[in-house]
Amino acid sequence: MVKLVYFAWVRERIGKSDEEINLPDSVRTIADLLDHLKQRGEGYAVALEVPEVIHVAINQEHCQHSDLIGDAREIALFPPMTGG
Amino acid sequence: MVKLVYFAWVRERIGKSDEEINLPDSVRTIADLLDHLKQRGEGYAVALEVPEVIHVAINQEHCQHSDLIGDAREIALFPPMTGG
Amino acid sequence: MTLPIKTRVQADDFDLQTEIDALASANCDIGAVVTFTGLCRDDNGTLAALELEHYPGMAELEMQRIAGEALVRWPLDGVTLIHRFGKIVPGENIVLVVTASKHRNAAFEAASFLMDFLKSKAPFWKREIRRDGKVGSWVDARDVDQAALQRWR
Amino acid sequence: MTLPIKTRVQADDFDLQTEIDALASANCDIGAVVTFTGLCRDDNGTLAALELEHYPGMAELEMQRIAGEALVRWPLDGVTLIHRFGKIVPGENIVLVVTASKHRNAAFEAASFLMDFLKSKAPFWKREIRRDGKVGSWVDARDVDQAALQRWR
């Protein structure tokens, strides 16, 4: 089980702020995860339509789409940040 | 008549904060003025011993030693500034 | 000695003089303090407020990481980072960066670095709330902010 | 429209938040405010205070000239310069520069420029008053401050 958390328009399009899911063994990298999530429904498909703009954090630390998920407890998906 | 004003260690060495003096016609530039003042006593000679470090303002505006005094009302002599 | 890093994520406003006094009273050796304050601005006269969403937990962690990076790069005597969340109206403070150093250029450069990284790395997102009551759009990230990071490689 | 320049030479202390609020309340369009505060520091533990002498009249004029130069060089929405004189003890404020702009880099660069010019062009002189009661020496101008001006040619 891994906890997924969503922010800003990713959260809005997916329609929830977080969820816990089981990942199949075939999902090894963040890129795999994004592909996998797109299959879960239209909200996901719209939210993740342009995967290049999706930022990802594993256990609250920025990571790359090529990074392995490993034994991540929490994975966050969000758009480019606009703080400051 | 021109008003001379002195600050910081220039003031201390000359021993006064300001004075009004008549300048001979031969004193045309600031460099001339510094040479002229050095003759006025030991305090002046010590204060103006190294003329290169003396900053000068004519009518409250920074100027060069080569600048003409013209009809200046107020000439200030002071060491390098150390504000901020 | 504890590292002179303070980071806070809060809904409340902050007061610059209070933050500087806190830094300076902890260390009488500070000669130069630079601050950057980011304010909510209303470019078109249509903005009622910005609503700032953040990633609790990671926001604090990321601000600590960014501040730590600045301490490695410049001889700083203190860094304070404060980022607000929630509803913020035009003219109000959003973010504060404070850097203290004996050397004024170090304080200036570190503050500029910290802002560039906060803008593009700290997990905050702005959405507009319009004067007509409608929820406006999410603020787009600007290429110029992303490009600003390249300066610090 | 009046030019958004404020300069003050005063014995009293100042408050950063008050100065920023004054700038921001005059203009809701300000997105970035950078401040530089120069504080009295005690490097060796021997300093009771600094005594700051200034050239009344020219100090104000020169600060206006420096601020005006910054407004020509950067797109600024406001500049505030405050310089204190008289006796200032370690930890107290000496000088404040505030720059406001829509663009954070303009605010940073202008503040850095203003400090470099205040240091070397504004007619103020510092003298040390030591803890043993003796009047110490006049603070020497530093070559590094003079060199800093070259950056802005």
Side-chain angles (χ1 to χ4, degrees):
Chain A
M1 293 284 277
V2 61
K3 183 180 184 186
L4 300 177
V5 292
Y6 311 121
F7 293 98
W9 54 253
V10 173
R11 170 180 56 69
E12 284 189 330
R13 290 174 190 175
I14 289 180
K16 57 184 98 172
S17 61
D18 60 276
E19 62 185 319
E20 304 231 350
I21 67 169
N22 277 308
L23 294 178
D25 289 345
S26 60
V27 173
R28 300 184 66 235
T29 66
I30 293 297
D32 295 340
L33 172 67
L34 296 178
D35 280 341
H36 177 72
L37 288 174
K38 275 190 194 174
Q39 319 302 321
R40 285 172 65 89
E42 204 189 321
Y44 292 90
V46 173
L48 308 177
E49 187 183 2
V50 187
E52 301 81 54
V53 305
I54 303 296
H55 286 246
V56 185
I58 295 179
N59 297 342
Q60 307 196 343
E61 189 159 3
H62 290 297
C63 70
Q64 306 296 318
H65 287 200
S66 55
D67 285 353
L68 292 170
I69 290 172
D71 56 354
R73 299 176 308 279
E74 182 172 299
I75 301 177
L77 308 187
F78 43 80
M81 288 143 282
T82 55
Chain B
M1 293 284 276
V2 62
K3 183 180 185 187
L4 300 177
V5 292
Y6 310 121
F7 293 98
W9 55 251
V10 173
R11 170 180 55 71
E12 285 189 329
R13 290 174 191 175
I14 288 179
K16 58 184 97 170
S17 61
D18 60 275
E19 62 186 317
E20 305 230 352
I21 67 170
N22 278 308
L23 294 178
D25 290 345
S26 60
V27 173
R28 301 186 64 236
T29 66
I30 294 296
D32 295 340
L33 171 67
L34 296 179
D35 279 343
H36 176 72
L37 288 175
K38 275 191 194 174
Q39 319 301 322
R40 285 172 66 88
E42 204 189 321
Y44 294 89
V46 172
L48 309 176
E49 188 184 2
V50 187
E52 301 82 53
V53 304
I54 303 295
H55 286 246
V56 184
I58 295 179
N59 297 341
Q60 308 197 342
E61 188 159 2
H62 290 296
C63 70
Q64 306 296 318
H65 286 200
S66 56
D67 285 353
L68 291 171
I69 290 172
D71 56 353
R73 300 176 307 279
E74 180 172 299
I75 300 175
L77 309 186
F78 43 81
M81 289 144 281
T82 56
Chain C
M1 182 194 144
T2 52
L3 278 181
I5 294 181
K6 241 203 273 187
T7 63
R8 300 207 307 271
V9 176
Q10 62 188 42
D12 293 337
D13 199 7
F14 48 78
D15 180 89
L16 260 78
Q17 192 64 56
T18 305
E19 299 304 329
I20 292 187
D21 290 348
L23 262 182
S25 70
N27 185 350
C28 235
D29 207 27
I30 288 175
V33 176
V34 170
T35 73
F36 176 94
T37 310
L39 297 109
C40 175
R41 72 173 202 250
D42 180 12
D43 284 330
N44 312 315
T46 58
L47 187 75
L50 288 174
E51 175 82 36
L52 270 115
E53 179 172 337
H54 75 297
Y55 183 175
M58 180 171 167
E60 290 83 348
L61 275 173
E62 191 64 18
M63 286 163 69
Q64 287 277 343
R65 285 190 280 257
I66 295 167
E69 177 73 21
L71 277 188
V72 169
R73 290 182 177 223
W74 288 279
L76 301 177
D77 297 313
V79 172
T80 300
L81 303 180
I82 302 176
H83 205 304
R84 293 179 67 195
F85 62 87
K87 201 173 280 189
I88 296 174
V89 302
E92 276 194 331
N93 295 323
I94 297 175
V95 63
L96 175 66
V97 169
V98 185
T99 55
S101 177
K102 278 177 213 54
H103 309 282
R104 67 181 183 278
N105 274 334
F108 272 119
E109 285 186 18
S112 178
F113 166 89
L114 287 163
M115 267 316 296
D116 284 348
F117 274 75
L118 277 179
K119 280 253 171 203
S120 295
K121 293 290 189 183
F124 290 84
W125 301 270
K126 291 191 188 105
R127 188 217 299 255
E128 297 177 344
I129 298 171
R130 289 163 41 179
R131 286 208 187 161
D132 58 17
K134 290 196 182 121
V135 170
S137 49
W138 292 95
V139 172
D140 276 331
R142 302 185 314 158
D143 290 343
V144 64
D145 287 329
Q146 199 54 45
L149 295 190
Q150 305 302 321
R151 283 200 293 154
W152 307 107
R153 302 246 150 181
Chain D
M1 180 193 147
T2 52
L3 278 181
I5 294 181
K6 241 203 271 187
T7 62
R8 301 208 306 271
V9 177
Q10 62 188 42
D12 293 336
D13 199 6
F14 48 78
D15 180 89
L16 260 78
Q17 191 65 56
T18 305
E19 299 305 330
I20 291 186
D21 290 348
L23 262 181
S25 71
N27 185 350
C28 237
D29 208 26
I30 288 175
V33 176
V34 169
T35 73
F36 177 93
T37 311
L39 296 110
C40 175
R41 73 174 201 251
D42 181 10
D43 284 331
N44 312 315
T46 58
L47 188 74
L50 288 174
E51 176 82 35
L52 269 114
E53 180 171 336
H54 75 296
Y55 183 175
M58 179 169 170
E60 290 84 348
L61 275 174
E62 190 64 17
M63 286 163 69
Q64 287 277 345
R65 285 191 279 256
I66 295 167
E69 176 73 21
L71 276 188
V72 169
R73 291 182 178 223
W74 289 278
L76 301 176
D77 297 312
V79 172
T80 300
L81 303 179
I82 303 175
H83 205 305
R84 294 179 66 195
F85 62 87
K87 202 173 281 189
I88 296 175
V89 302
E92 277 194 331
N93 295 324
I94 296 174
V95 66
L96 175 66
V97 170
V98 184
T99 56
S101 178
K102 279 178 214 49
H103 309 283
R104 66 182 185 278
N105 274 335
F108 272 118
E109 282 185 22
S112 178
F113 166 89
L114 287 162
M115 266 316 297
D116 284 348
F117 274 76
L118 277 179
K119 280 255 170 200
S120 294
K121 294 290 189 183
F124 290 84
W125 301 271
K126 291 190 188 104
R127 189 217 299 255
E128 297 177 343
I129 300 172
R130 290 163 40 177
R131 286 209 187 161
D132 58 15
K134 288 193 182 124
V135 171
S137 48
W138 292 94
V139 172
D140 276 331
R142 301 185 314 157
D143 290 343
V144 64
D145 287 329
Q146 200 54 44
L149 294 190
Q150 305 302 322
R151 283 201 292 154
W152 307 106
R153 302 243 153 186

